[in-house]
Amino acid sequence: MAQKNIAAALTPSDAPAAGTLISLPADVLEQSCKRVAALGVVLAVLWAFALFKGNVVTPAFTEDMPIHGHAFPWPGNLIAIVGLGMSLGLVVLAGRLHHRPNFLLDLSLGFYVATALLIGILNQWQPELHPGHISWICVVILAYPAIAPNTPGKILVAGLIAASMDPLGLLLAGLRGAEMPETQLALFWSFLPNYICALIAVVPAHIIRGLGRHARKARELGSYKLGEELGRGGMGEVYRAEHRLLARQAAIKLIRPEVLGARDPDAARVMVTRFKREAQAAATLRSPHTIELYDFGMTQDGAFYYVMELLDGIGLDQLVERFGPIPAERAVQFAHQAALSLAEAHARGLIHRDIKPSNIFTSRMGLQVDYIKVLDFGLVKAVESRDQALLTAPQMTTGTPAYMAPELALGESNIDGQADIYALGAVIYWLLTGKLVFDAESPVKMMYRHVSDPPEPPSQHTELAIPDQLEALIMACLAKSPGDRPGGAGELAGLLAAIPVTNPWTEHRALRWWETHLPETPRSAPCDRGELAAEYSPA
């Protein structure tokens, strides 16, 4: 049974809108109203101080008022009043735009640049070179990301624009007829601190985003305590986790929504609905050779997640890469167990669509070893019914080109379990030879070869003995036409079990191999011996 939801799953109406700033932590977005309002208050106080100093303090100590290039009282008072009004206006907007945090943070960036422009005009009203002088613009550049954080990229761009307001103020002074400095080197040193501060301002933006992301994960995945990262790939990350009450270890996979095609509100609603239906279907799978799915849902920032059992073992991709091709009797045993997993999925109308070595895991289960688990059943495709067809999102070719059935490569709509049988045949080929069925310079060319080229028998690429019946079965699985392949995963499992082998892969041989190559370690995990974070690779 699925555990209590780690984070409340969104309903379709809650799906992230287009342009959601998912790169910012959710808690930063939630506090954006207060943060932007605080920024407005701080700058309003600074503009009020400038008015007080320019009109009260400075006249009391000097007659010629050497402040901001002789800008006070004119136009200094006007500029300071405009800045004060802008700051108070930002406070008001922060209250009215609390339901649009991304827009509010971006709007405050424009305010930030406008404030720097006002300061630049004040600083350069009557240009005076002060190579050791630090402009008030530096204060604004450094203070802004600490009070109202945004993404590092936006902070950098806005900071560089703000840093250029002193040079712009100098240009405006020249157009107004003010006397211009003649020493360009002095100008360089006068404006350089602005740009240095713009670069430095990116650092707190990175820190705040990182801290917020870790805090968000710890909070939103509340029933589970997250541990170290086990792996990452093109779709997201996998973390070790432990249930806070049951002390049961698990693996949590976070999947970025943009990879799944949620580029607008309608697509996001479709993806949420499809994900829920398909994950619910995957959670019903009970084959001991299918990884168990505990929970699934969406985080507050729109990322999909699912919680699955934590395995102790190694992916078949890493197995061959580290230890070389395996004997036929062991490959048959692996493929038989994987076929049993697929047989149940296909009987329930689920197609994996991304069978590959990294999605098949050989592991320890209790006292057993070489126990196969098929991974990534959290994102299977249900065979389309009429109701499901109404939920079809914009089509994407999903799968891994090296193991992609011709019908998948061609983008055909009537995909069934035969695509998984083709891929499993390619996996057996890899286990026996350490080579792909087809090699090519690019994914597109590899997909083309799956469609058009006949495969070479695996016996031509290995010195290991391959029984004739096994080679014939592999070639049947790799048939271009689905109708020429074994009739189903259950039939394939039976054919594999019937293949005669001269030296069976016994439990004793398996235990000896594991003790030699992968001795048991306390609390061992996939990150120690393989790649749990096997990803779908959209072509």
Side-chain angles (χ1 to χ4, degrees), residues 146-281:
I147 299 175
N150 211 309
T151 57
K154 291 183 177 181
I155 289 293
L156 177 61
V157 172
L160 292 174
I161 295 174
S164 302
M165 292 302 105
D166 265 333
L168 180 59
L170 182 64
L171 177 62
L172 294 176
L175 295 176
R176 190 171 41 82
E179 183 177 353
M180 303 298 291
E182 297 180 358
T183 308
Q184 294 183 353
L185 182 60
L187 283 174
F188 171 80
W189 287 110
S190 181
F191 298 145
L192 181 61
N194 290 8
Y195 294 96
I196 293 176
C197 290
L199 297 176
I200 294 175
V202 178
V203 176
H206 272 292
I207 293 174
I208 291 173
R209 185 178 64 164
L211 292 175
R213 182 166 57 243
H214 289 301
R216 179 199 70 208
K217 289 174 180 174
R219 183 180 65 250
E220 292 178 354
L221 307 180
S223 297
Y224 286 84
K225 181 180 179 182
L226 292 188
E228 76 272 23
E229 182 178 299
L230 299 181
R232 63 172 54 233
M235 292 188 70
E237 306 90 39
V238 177
Y239 295 87
R240 178 196 295 270
E242 183 174 303
H243 196 281
R244 295 181 183 276
L245 299 179
L246 302 178
R248 177 180 64 184
Q249 294 216 4
I252 293 180
K253 187 168 187 175
L254 297 174
I255 305 166
R256 294 192 296 272
E258 63 268 23
V259 177
L260 300 178
R263 300 182 180 90
D264 56 69
D266 291 337
R269 283 190 289 270
V270 169
M271 292 309 305
V272 171
T273 304
R274 288 189 68 99
F275 179 80
K276 287 182 177 179
R277 286 194 178 189
E278 293 166 8
Q280 286 168 350

Side-chain angles (χ1 to χ4, degrees), residues 36 39 89-90 93-94 97 100-114 144 150 154:
V36 172
L39 176 67
L90 187 64
L93 284 174
L97 296 176
R100 301 179 63 187
N102 296 298
F103 177 74
L104 180 59
L105 287 175
D106 289 344
L107 182 66
S108 68
L109 281 175
F111 168 83
Y112 159 44
V113 173
Y144 177 86
N150 211 309
K154 291 183 177 181

